[in-house]
């Protein structure tokens, strides 16, 4: 350090008036890295220091987002008062006025159009307590069947497949500590290096111990850089790729027949299906040489231990559910689950992507991963909630379908918490139009997001630094996020906001909590005996044991590190093998003369989701301040696309303008655009509305587009 800098810091040190340490967890991805944010006061100025804190999942590591996540939380644009739209302009109002408006509008809408005319839209970035309470708000507070959440776009394929095949959906069937024990690792459509950076050391350790790593991705990502074998698959062809691997396993005699016979159902049908399949044709359709796929199958099949990880690359497809099932077929056929160095991982996305999908935000689900369609589950939860089973609404529709119902004016009022659907939903133009039709729209957010500006009322929510609660991380480990900072201005914690709304709707008696811990205690009971059983966990235990892996059925239970050691979670204790077709039932868009390229979408390391938070962080925004399109230079030459310039990307739904970036790391028939930007750069303007028939996941990862030089005047005329 230069002398002048030293003096500067010494002076600062001298002038420091106070220092406050906030214990917390990063608000972003599913790693939930523990950290401290230290606020130092120097007169009117404040300085923030971030420090990683040791924990069983990330050992104190932090990535660039975690290091800078204080920036949005202390940003001047944080909402500090409820904002009501009056004559088209937002004006600050008191909480009393805001809540009275909610009461009036929601009551009127339900009186005129029935209780299901209200929709609740939640998030997997809120705590378990809040996820639980939002489900209870919909069913008890508002008595509507319509609730779903942003995790539909994230974990729906993996969750439904895990449940159908293994009987239980926990992202990782073992803990991350198992990774270095594996001899072979398959990473399908997961870019861990950019999306869960603090998980990378586990893979590095495995590599150093000699593990063979196979990455399946249309791009040579930073994750692919560590692979021994990279299968540069054509977007959307992963089901066929897995089938090709399975056929090779059969041909090479690499199926673990003993495991299959003792522990699975469905082998006969799968075998027949694979026997009929044309190996060359299947491989050809993936765009990857057969010899490479065969190599992957042989290495994985012969390895004594191995793990398969999938993420949104294979899951965000209109056949995402079946594609995950096919990767689970690979795991089961080779008997690589329930023992050391083995298992499957659906790499969870959001901070509480795991817990957010367990406690009742899904339209068909009740807490503890219970089903809203099971009589027994309904009766159990009704007892916990103190209501009659007949008063518990039934199953609603998925997140995007809720937007369709809004567009049809079947849903007339909406309560949105912690999501930005006009940027994150597919067919985003339609979604924006739909939200404009609502009679009354309330959004709770930290900021005036692209969606919040469309609301009639915006409620200021407390940030992660200000809101205590539990988060279930990528491993299925429930962690307690402490929070001692005072909510910014007059913002309130999400659970407080939910209770306020329930109270003005006349249901206060069911929502009389005074702390997150009280809500957790009720959640424990609600989850008791369910698949995701949290009953044995208490805040005290979570503090001293630094997190507990579910299921944890009683207070003496240590939590469950490795699932399926003895048996699977179906009633007959067996896992299910299923034949998976190469082609999706809901056809994916294929390139045509007019739209000759595949579009795939995803993330960069320094931004998070729709970017509302990371675009507010100067350190993060500086790395990528605008959106871009990755294109192979040969493709660019073919279509006359200049490098480093603004170009127009067009699909059948609309067009966006992004900067061109050339790279040989992407397939020649594919372009990649991240989804962290809005308005003219909102890539979801291009994505079709088609959904997976089983889990209702959209196909964010493969559609057809064309790319043109950008001509602002021509574009203005066409609008
Ligand atoms: N930096 C950062 N980290 C994040 C997030 C973020 O926004 N930014 N978001 C968090 C959340 S909510 C989530 S869900 C996770 C997402 O984590 P990931 O799923 O790992 O992230 P993506 O970039 O969406 O997609 C992963 C990879 O899939 C590849 N891919 C695209 N199409 C296909 C295909 O057809 N087949 C295959 N095999 N691969 C394909 C992409 O090229 C990309 O490299 O990340 C979490 N972590
Ligand atoms: N094209 C394309 N689209 C995608 C994806 C893709 O890969 N490609 N991925 C999908 C996936 S995996 C996901 S998870 C979704 C995510 O989609 P969204 O849920 O829409 O994304 P976020 O940016 O997390 O939106 C969160 C909003 O809540 C606010 N917020 C943050 N913290 C809090 C809080 O504690 N309380 C409250 N009340 N508000 C808060 C933020 O300011 C922000 O406005 O996007 C999906 N969309
Ligand atoms: S973004 Fe994910 S990996 Fe990075 S610090 Fe936050 S929780 Fe950890
Ligand atoms: Mo996600």
């Amino acid at each position: 350090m230069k002398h002048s800098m030293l003096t500067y810091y010494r002076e600062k040190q001298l002038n420091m008036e106070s220092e406050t340490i906030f214990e917390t967890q990063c608000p972003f991805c599913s790693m939930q890295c523990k950290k401290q944010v230290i606020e130092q006061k120097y007169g009117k100025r404040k300085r923030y220091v971030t420090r990683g804190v040791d924990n069983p999942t990330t050992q104190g590591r932090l990535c660039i987002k975690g290091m800078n996540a204080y920036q949005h939380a202390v940003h001047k644009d944080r909402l500090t008062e409820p904002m009501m739209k009056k004559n088209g302009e937002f004006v600050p109002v008191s909480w009393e006025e805001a809540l009275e408006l909610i009461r009036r509008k929601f009551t009127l809408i339900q009186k005129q159009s029935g209780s299901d005319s209200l929709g609740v839209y939640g998030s997997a970035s809120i705590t378990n307590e809040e996820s639980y309470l939002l489900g209870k708000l919909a069913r008890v507070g508002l008595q509507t069947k319509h609730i779903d959440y942003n995790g539909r776009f994230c974990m729906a394929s993996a969750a439904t497949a895990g449940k159908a095949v293994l009987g239980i959906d926990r992202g990782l069937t073992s803990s991350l500590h198992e990774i270095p024990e594996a001899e072979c690792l398959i990473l399908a459509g997961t870019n861990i290096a950019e999306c869960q950076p603090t998980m990378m050391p586990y893979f590095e350790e495995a590599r150093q111990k000699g593990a063979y790593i196979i990455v399946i991705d249309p791009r040579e990502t930073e994750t692919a850089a560590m692979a021994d074998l990279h299968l540069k698959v054509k977007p959307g062809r992963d089901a066929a790729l897995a089938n090709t691997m399975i056929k090779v396993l059969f041909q090479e005699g690499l199926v673990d027949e003993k495991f299959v016979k003792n522990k699975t159902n469905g082998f006969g049908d799968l075998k027949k299906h694979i026997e009929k399949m044309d190996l060359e044709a299947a491989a050809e359709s993936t765009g990857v040489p057969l010899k490479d796929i065969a190599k992957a199958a042989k290495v994985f099949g012969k390895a004594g231990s191995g793990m398969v990880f999938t993420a949104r690359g294979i899951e965000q497809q209109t056949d995402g559910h079946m594609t995950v099932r096919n990767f689970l077929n690979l795991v089961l056929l080779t008997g690589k689950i329930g023992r050391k160095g083995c298992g499957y991982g659906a790499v969870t996305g959001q901070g509480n992507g795991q817990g957010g999908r367990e406690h009742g935000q899904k339209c068909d689900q009740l807490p503890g991963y219970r089903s809203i369609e099971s009589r027994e589950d309904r009766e159990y939860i009704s007892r916990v909630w103190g209501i009659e089973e007949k008063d518990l609404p039934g199953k609603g529709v998925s997140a995007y379908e809720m937007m369709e119902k809004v567009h049809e004016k079947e849903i007339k009022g909406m309560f949105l918490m912690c999501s930005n659907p006009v940027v994150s939903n597919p067919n985003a133009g339609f979604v924006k139009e739909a939200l404009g039709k609502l009679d009354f729209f309330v959004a709770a957010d930290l900021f005036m997001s692209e969606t919040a500006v469309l609301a009639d009322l915006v409620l200021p929510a407390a940030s992660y630094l200000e809101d205590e609660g539990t988060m279930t991380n990528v491993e299925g480990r429930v962690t307690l996020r402490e929070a001692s900072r005072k909510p910014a201005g007059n913002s309130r914690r999400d659970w407080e906001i939910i209770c306020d709304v329930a109270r003005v709707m006349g249901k206060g008696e069911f929502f009389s909590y005074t702390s997150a811990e009280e809500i957790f205690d009720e959640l424990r009971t609600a989850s008791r005996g369910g698949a995701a059983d949290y009953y044995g966990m208490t805040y005290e235990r979570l503090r001293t044991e630094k997190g507990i892996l579910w299921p944890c059925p009683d207070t003496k239970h240590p939590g469950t590190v490795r699932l399926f050691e003895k048996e699977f979670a179906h009633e007959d204790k067996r896992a299910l093998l299923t034949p998976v077709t190469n082609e999706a039932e809901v056809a994916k868009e294929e390139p045509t003369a007019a739209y000759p390229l595949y579009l795939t979408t995803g993330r960069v390391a320094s931004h998070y989701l729709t970017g509302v938070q990371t675009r507010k962080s100067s350190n993060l925004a500086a790395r990528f301040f605008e959106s871009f399109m990755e294109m192979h230079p040969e493709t660019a030459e073919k279509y006359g696309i200049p490098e480093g310039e603004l170009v127009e990307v067009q699909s059948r739904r609309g067009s966006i303008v992004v900067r061109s970036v050339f790279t040989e790391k992407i397939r020649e028939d594919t372009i990649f655009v991240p989804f962290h930007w809005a308005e003219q750069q909102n890539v979801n303007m291009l994505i079709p509305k088609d959904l997976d028939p089983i889990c209702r996941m959209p196909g964010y990862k493969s559609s057809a587009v064309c790319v043109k030089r950008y001509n602002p005047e021509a574009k203005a005329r066409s609008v």
Side-chain angles (χ1 to χ4, degrees):
M1 204 182 274
K2 285 196 185 122
H3 178 71
S4 58
M5 282 294 278
L6 262 179
T7 331
Y8 170 80
Y9 279 114
R10 274 210 201 105
E11 274 171 17
K12 285 244 158 191
Q13 208 74 44
L14 284 176
N15 294 334
M16 193 167 80
E17 288 163 9
S18 68
E19 187 176 69
T20 317
I21 298 178
F22 303 115
E23 299 290 340
T24 185
Q25 286 170 206
C26 174
F28 298 129
C29 86
S30 55
M31 294 302 285
Q32 281 305 289
C33 302
K34 288 228 175 241
K35 62 176 191 173
Q36 289 180 334
V37 172
I38 303 154
E39 187 179 82
Q40 301 174 337
K41 274 198 186 150
Y42 302 89
K44 281 194 178 137
R45 277 168 188 271
K46 283 182 189 156
R47 178 172 174 248
Y48 294 88
V49 178
T50 301
R51 229 183 259 148
V53 172
D54 187 31
N55 68 89
T57 304
T58 67
Q59 294 84 37
R61 292 186 286 275
L62 288 176
C63 82
I64 177 189
K65 284 192 303 305
M67 288 301 294
N68 290 291
Y70 68 89
Q71 289 190 329
H72 75 268
V74 303
H75 198 278
K76 63 174 178 30
D77 290 353
R78 277 282 303 278
L79 295 168
T80 54
E81 307 290 339
M83 303 294 284
M84 194 184 286
K85 214 177 251 167
K86 292 185 176 168
N87 304 319
E89 298 278 326
F90 278 112
V91 290
V93 295
S94 68
W95 276 97
E96 288 65 37
E97 195 179 336
L99 290 165
E100 171 54 19
L101 184 70
I102 293 177
R103 188 195 64 75
R104 253 191 317 114
K105 292 286 186 179
F106 278 180
T107 308
L108 183 69
I109 289 171
Q110 285 190 311
K111 202 166 147 210
Q112 287 176 342
S113 312
S115 50
D116 292 335
S117 55
L118 290 185
V120 176
Y121 190 114
S123 171
S125 290
I126 53 181
T127 63
N128 286 317
E129 292 77 356
E130 290 156 353
S131 303
Y132 168 78
L133 221 52
L134 202 61
K136 186 172 174 184
L137 175 72
R139 277 83 179 227
V140 179
L142 304 173
Q143 288 177 304
T144 175
K145 67 177 178 188
H146 286 306
I147 172 163
D148 212 61
Y149 77 127
N150 65 6
R152 176 68 63 176
F153 303 127
C154 185
M155 300 313 299
S157 300
T160 52
K163 188 128 201 310
V165 173
L166 310 170
I168 217 173
D169 155 44
R170 193 181 84 184
L172 246 68
T173 65
S174 49
S175 100
L176 291 172
H177 297 273
E178 208 93 64
I179 295 172
E181 308 298 328
E183 287 176 25
C184 181
L185 294 152
I186 296 181
L187 303 176
T190 167
N191 185 9
I192 288 168
E194 295 203 65
C195 295
Q196 291 81 15
T198 58
M199 198 195 288
M200 283 303 272
Y202 291 102
F203 290 95
E204 287 300 338
E205 195 184 333
R207 218 161 81 102
Q208 280 168 21
K209 285 183 157 180
Y212 190 89
I213 301 182
I214 300 161
V215 169
I216 307 171
D217 197 303
R219 305 184 300 139
E220 278 167 53
T221 57
E222 287 183 33
T223 310
M226 71 168 171
D228 296 283
L229 181 61
H230 174 211
L231 308 180
K232 214 167 176 174
V233 67
K234 202 183 264 189
R237 302 303 306 167
D238 298 276
L241 192 146
N243 271 334
T244 310
M245 287 181 73
I246 292 170
K247 180 130 187 161
V248 173
L249 289 178
F250 274 99
Q251 287 176 341
E252 298 287 322
L254 293 170
V255 172
D256 182 341
E257 287 179 5
K258 192 167 151 229
F259 181 92
V260 166
K261 184 160 169 278
N262 292 338
K263 302 227 166 166
T264 69
N265 290 320
F267 181 68
D269 287 348
L270 175 59
K271 188 161 181 249
K272 255 186 259 158
H273 168 72
I274 294 292
E275 274 165 2
K276 273 193 291 184
M277 198 189 73
D278 180 333
L279 184 71
E280 277 76 21
E284 167 84 33
S285 75
T286 69
V288 181
L290 173 57
K291 69 167 187 7
D292 290 349
I293 306 178
K295 169 111 203 237
K298 285 185 226 167
V299 175
F300 186 69
K302 286 178 189 161
S305 58
M307 296 173 91
V308 172
F309 291 85
T310 68
R312 308 310 85 79
I314 73 152
E315 296 165 13
Q316 289 173 330
Q317 307 277 359
T318 56
D319 61 349
H321 168 88
M322 291 309 279
T323 305
V324 173
R325 276 195 181 203
N326 224 9
F327 279 88
L328 284 166
N329 282 340
L330 269 175
V331 172
L332 294 169
L333 286 170
T334 55
K336 289 192 171 58
I337 191 162
R339 59 188 172 88
K340 193 172 166 191
C342 290
Y344 166 71
V347 186
T348 301
Q350 296 168 85
N352 197 24
Q354 180 73 52
R357 71 184 191 258
E358 296 166 358
H359 300 296
Q361 292 192 80
K362 252 176 147 171
C363 67
D364 59 351
Q365 193 198 56
L366 292 170
Y369 233 123
R370 289 186 152 89
S371 164
I372 207 158
E373 292 182 299
S374 142
R375 182 85 198 190
E376 198 187 319
D377 287 351
R378 292 173 62 84
E379 279 172 356
Y380 181 79
I381 294 298
S382 300
R383 272 199 304 279
V384 176
W385 286 349
I387 59 168
E388 299 273 326
E389 185 271 336
K390 67 173 174 42
D391 295 331
L392 188 62
K395 176 179 164 178
V397 296
S398 75
Y400 180 77
E401 291 167 297
M402 215 154 50
M403 295 301 178
E404 291 182 327
K405 290 204 179 292
V406 171
H407 204 274
E408 290 157 15
K409 297 204 88 173
E410 193 181 320
I411 294 178
K412 296 190 167 131
M414 179 170 280
F415 182 76
L416 170 82
M417 181 163 267
C418 192
S419 184
N420 188 15
V422 297
V423 184
S424 57
N425 273 228
N427 203 17
F430 171 89
V431 170
K432 187 168 178 184
E433 196 179 284
L435 292 175
K437 292 182 169 201
L438 283 166
D439 288 349
F440 186 58
F441 179 22
V442 191
D445 204 299
L446 309 179
F447 297 104
M448 202 46 98
S449 73
E450 290 78 12
T451 303
V453 291
L454 305 175
D456 300 291
L457 178 66
V458 183
L459 304 176
S463 78
Y464 70 103
L465 287 174
E466 303 145 9
D467 187 12
E468 181 186 56
T470 60
M471 306 283 281
T472 307
N473 77 9
V474 69
E475 298 184 287
R477 193 187 297 274
V478 182
T479 60
L480 176 61
R481 181 183 76 197
E482 311 275 359
S484 54
R485 198 167 198 266
K486 223 170 77 353
N490 282 322
S491 67
R492 291 186 181 174
R493 298 171 184 94
D494 286 315
W495 66 264
E496 293 173 324
I497 296 175
I498 297 170
C499 294
D500 285 340
V501 173
R503 182 172 44 79
V504 295
M505 294 303 287
K507 302 286 178 177
E509 63 186 295
F510 301 99
F511 293 81
S512 59
Y513 313 95
T514 55
S515 70
E517 189 168 2
E518 254 180 57
I519 305 166
F520 188 72
D521 282 338
E522 187 179 301
L523 181 161
R524 290 172 54 207
T525 305
S527 75
R528 188 175 195 180
D533 193 334
Y534 285 28
Y535 183 68
M537 303 179 199
T538 60
Y539 270 27
E540 202 40 51
R541 276 193 74 185
L542 292 173
R543 270 191 194 106
T544 51
E545 295 170 42
K546 298 188 174 173
I548 299 172
L549 286 138
W550 71 257
C552 177
D554 63 71
T555 47
K556 298 276 178 305
H557 192 286
T560 311
V561 178
R562 190 188 290 148
L563 295 169
F564 317 127
E565 283 189 301
K566 293 201 185 76
E567 57 196 38
F568 290 97
H570 286 304
E571 238 161 62
D572 65 1
K573 306 186 182 351
R574 288 168 166 268
L576 181 63
L577 291 162
T578 325
V580 175
T581 54
N582 288 331
E583 302 301 326
E585 193 182 315
V586 175
K588 296 173 192 174
E589 251 182 15
E590 287 299 321
T592 58
Y595 300 100
L597 295 166
Y598 288 105
L599 163 70
T600 194
T601 64
R603 295 150 165 86
V604 299
S606 60
H607 277 288
Y608 189 68
L609 300 179
T610 68
V612 177
Q613 296 165 90
T614 47
R615 280 184 271 129
K616 289 275 181 328
S617 163
S618 52
N619 288 3
L620 295 175
R623 288 166 199 253
F624 285 101
F625 59 91
E626 62 176 357
S627 190
F628 61 89
M629 166 211 68
E630 277 181 7
M631 181 181 252
H632 196 284
E634 301 272 324
T635 315
E637 197 177 326
K638 190 164 157 195
Y639 296 104
I641 303 300
E643 184 170 15
E645 291 196 14
L646 289 176
V647 293
E648 195 176 338
V649 184
Q650 206 175 73
S651 79
R652 288 178 182 84
R653 277 117 343 240
S655 79
I656 58 166
V657 179
V658 291
R659 197 164 294 279
S660 60
V661 171
F662 290 0
T663 171
E664 287 179 0
K665 293 182 173 174
I666 190 163
R667 288 178 59 89
E668 287 182 31
D669 56 7
T670 304
I671 65 161
F672 170 86
V673 180
F675 81 106
H676 310 298
W677 286 270
E679 313 291 345
Q680 260 207 318
Q681 299 206 313
N682 178 356
V683 72
N684 279 323
M685 297 291 292
L686 311 184
I687 303 294
K689 65 178 174 27
D690 306 324
L691 306 175
D692 179 299
I694 295 155
C695 65
R696 320 311 279 159
M697 171 70 89
Y700 292 119
K701 292 295 196 268
S702 58
S703 57
V705 291
C706 63
V707 182
K708 295 190 246 171
R709 281 168 173 269
Y710 175 49
N711 178 344
E713 285 157 27
K715 185 149 163 66
R717 276 199 304 276
S718 74
V719 171

